[in-house]
Amino acid sequence: VTGVQTCALPINKIKDYKINDITINGKKTYVVQYLINVSDNNWYRSYEYFVDDGEEFYRFSFFIKNVNFKEMYGAVFESIVETLKIR
């Protein structure tokens, strides 16, 4: 086929994927955690929160270089999500 262009997009590798459900401010919340390799062994740790208010989901995403990650960051991220006020 002539005249067809292709685009080679990088493929991000993901590992250590896990999902948990918790309750934040009385709302069911899904927490998705994983490591993502964005380039040349450049890993980021991801914490994503999906807060379910029954009609909509509210998403919070946090990414930090894995080499800089400290376990206490999980509690910091959750504290930030807890500031969500749904009216």
Side-chain angles (χ1 to χ4, degrees), residues 39-54:
S39 66
D40 258 352
N41 209 28
N42 186 15
W43 290 92
Y44 279 76
R45 184 169 300 265
S46 170
Y47 276 65
E48 298 196 68
Y49 294 80
F50 297 86
V51 181
D52 183 358
D53 84 340

Side-chain angles (χ1 to χ4, degrees):
V1 176
T2 60
V4 174
Q5 293 181 337
T6 60
C7 178
L9 295 175
I11 297 174
N12 294 328
K13 294 180 183 172
I14 294 175
K15 67 179 184 180
D16 299 338
Y17 180 92
K18 62 182 174 180
I19 186 169
N20 294 304
D21 52 294
I22 62 174
T23 301
I24 293 182
N25 295 334
K27 306 287 183 191
K28 186 168 190 169
T29 303
Y30 301 95
V31 183
V32 180
Q33 299 174 43
Y34 55 91
L35 288 170
I36 183 167
N37 185 14
V38 295
S39 66
D40 258 352
N41 209 28
N42 186 15
W43 290 92
Y44 279 76
R45 184 169 300 265
S46 170
Y47 276 65
E48 298 196 68
Y49 294 80
F50 297 86
V51 181
D52 183 358
D53 84 340
E55 294 180 23
E56 298 178 305
F57 280 91
Y58 297 87
R59 178 182 176 196
F60 290 76
S61 297
F62 303 95
F63 298 89
I64 187 163
K65 281 190 170 189
N66 195 46
V67 295
N68 298 332
F69 181 78
K70 294 178 177 44
E71 285 301 319
M72 65 172 256
Y73 290 165
V76 172
F77 299 153
E78 190 167 320
S79 293
I80 293 170
V81 176
E82 288 173 348
T83 67
L84 175 66
K85 303 291 184 229
I86 301 172
R87 299 176 189 203

